[in-house]
Amino acid sequence: MKIGLVCPYDLFRGGGVQEHVLAQADELRRRGHTVKIMTPKVFGYEGRKPKNIIFVGNSAKVRTPIKTSHEWGAIIKRDGVEDILAREKFDVIHIHEPEVPIIGAQIVAYATCPIVATFHALFPDTVAGRTIEAIRVMYSRAVYDHLTEITSVTNDAANFVRERTGRKVNIIPNGIDLKKFSQAEAHEKMPGDLKTILYVGRLEKRKGVKYLIKAYEKLAQQHSDVQLIIAGNGEEREKLEDIVSFRDIPRVSFLGFVSEAKKIQLLNKADLFCAPALYG
């Protein structure tokens, strides 16, 4: 089959949905399918278009009230969407986060093939989160009726969709590439080696890295054989580095963006791995 995957976020920026889409594309190709990913073109992107990537419109950076930011697909010309779908003739289209403006809704409106949708996240139960959900519900009414099948990666996100549509939602949790982690080898610490706490993820407010640093500070005051390694970039990085510098917290390293190979290398050395909290 020829399958079109839709990612509404900046595909070239780290993130759970982006990694999910890329891994799904690899697995579908391994099973013999032809797969292309439709995603907005990031503002300011230069260079050659990656293979099997279709740029659909452009994206704009949006900062949400829950202290996270995304590159979301901006308005696309109708004839541009229709031309792409007519040219590609997909047998199935799988849209991730179909409620995120606006690429998913426009593709849904003009696609003639079956459409699968996956809902990844649920906003927190706060004033800001509930406000976003209210807007999301109004926007999504034009999307739900066009979906052939609906899946979700979490129970909470599935319940949210069920309550508003009455539809069956299949829960398919995020997968893990076991081959990637099978490369990890047990490491033997030599006398005097530091115990390593590792964080890998975006550096933005809702991830709570500030609290990890403050907790580590208390630990480091009592133990001189620990270190904190923070891998990832984001708009909070400078603030977090300032906290470490101002409070003179010892043995904290900021590595910035790291490759998948580097992540495995870091995991080999870590005694404790901290993953960012996910809503839903």
Side-chain angles (χ1 to χ4, degrees):
M1 289 195 302
K2 186 171 186 180
I3 303 172
L5 303 181
V6 180
C7 178
Y9 304 134
D10 175 4
L11 194 63
F12 308 102
R13 178 176 182 241
V17 176
Q18 293 93 318
E19 291 187 11
H20 183 122
V21 172
L22 291 169
Q24 182 186 17
D26 287 342
E27 176 61 20
L28 289 171
R29 292 187 187 108
R30 188 188 70 81
R31 297 187 183 197
H33 301 292
T34 299
V35 183
K36 292 190 177 181
I37 300 174
M38 292 177 279
T39 190
K41 184 176 182 179
V42 181
F43 179 77
Y45 177 86
E46 296 181 358
R48 301 173 64 181
K49 182 178 66 175
K51 186 179 179 181
N52 296 319
I53 299 294
I54 301 173
F55 286 134
V56 183
N58 297 299
S59 68
K61 189 170 185 179
V62 178
R63 181 166 175 78
T64 74
I66 59 171
K67 309 303 182 183
T68 186
S69 61
H70 288 290
E71 290 275 354
W72 288 358
I75 295 175
I76 311 161
K77 292 182 179 179
R78 172 178 172 174
D79 56 353
V81 176
E82 290 182 310
D83 287 347
I84 290 171
L85 297 179
R87 180 182 71 241
E88 297 297 334
K89 295 181 174 59
F90 293 113
D91 296 301
V92 176
I93 292 177
H94 188 154
I95 302 177
H96 291 266
E97 297 287 49
E99 294 175 325
V100 174
I102 192 169
I103 179 174
Q106 289 193 303
I107 289 175
V108 161
Y110 303 117
T112 58
C113 63
I115 299 175
V116 178
T118 294
F119 294 82
H120 288 258
L122 185 68
F123 289 107
D125 189 18
T126 62
V127 173
R130 289 191 293 272
T131 299
I132 294 175
E133 292 292 13
I135 297 172
R136 173 181 174 181
V137 169
M138 291 187 293
Y139 170 81
S140 62
R141 288 171 183 163
V143 175
Y144 288 140
D145 291 343
H146 296 272
L147 304 179
T148 308
E149 295 290 340
I150 303 175
T151 71
S152 171
V153 301
T154 67
N155 285 317
D156 288 343
N159 289 334
F160 178 89
V161 178
R162 288 192 192 105
E163 290 172 2
R164 285 150 182 80
T165 66
R167 297 277 300 276
K168 177 182 177 181
V169 180
N170 296 297
I171 299 175
I172 304 176
N174 285 321
I176 299 174
D177 185 353
L178 296 177
K179 290 183 179 179
K180 179 188 299 184
F181 293 97
S182 68
Q183 301 172 29
E185 299 176 355
H187 61 287
E188 296 183 4
K189 284 191 173 293
M190 300 297 292
D193 279 0
L194 296 176
K195 295 181 176 65
T196 300
I197 300 170
L198 172 66
Y199 170 90
V200 179
R202 294 199 304 275
L203 303 183
E204 55 185 35
K205 188 170 182 177
R206 79 180 181 107
K207 301 296 184 181
V209 185
K210 175 178 68 175
Y211 302 105
L212 170 62
I213 291 174
K214 290 184 176 181
Y216 167 79
E217 179 183 17
K218 294 181 179 180
L219 183 66
Q221 289 170 352
Q222 302 173 27
H223 302 276
S224 60
D225 62 341
V226 294
Q227 66 174 337
L228 173 61
I229 296 177
I230 298 174
N233 270 325
E235 56 193 33
E236 288 283 305
R237 178 172 176 175
E238 186 175 345
K239 292 180 181 179
L240 296 172
E241 289 178 329
D242 287 344
I243 291 173
V244 172
S245 177
F246 180 76
R247 300 174 73 92
D248 196 24
I249 303 174
R251 301 178 299 281
V252 180
S253 303
F254 289 85
L255 303 186
F257 174 81
V258 297
S259 65
E260 291 299 314
K262 182 66 174 178
K263 287 180 187 178
I264 298 299
Q265 184 181 24
L266 291 169
L267 282 168
N268 278 335
K269 298 179 180 179
D271 295 279
L272 176 63
F273 174 56
C274 300
L278 298 176
Y279 294 116

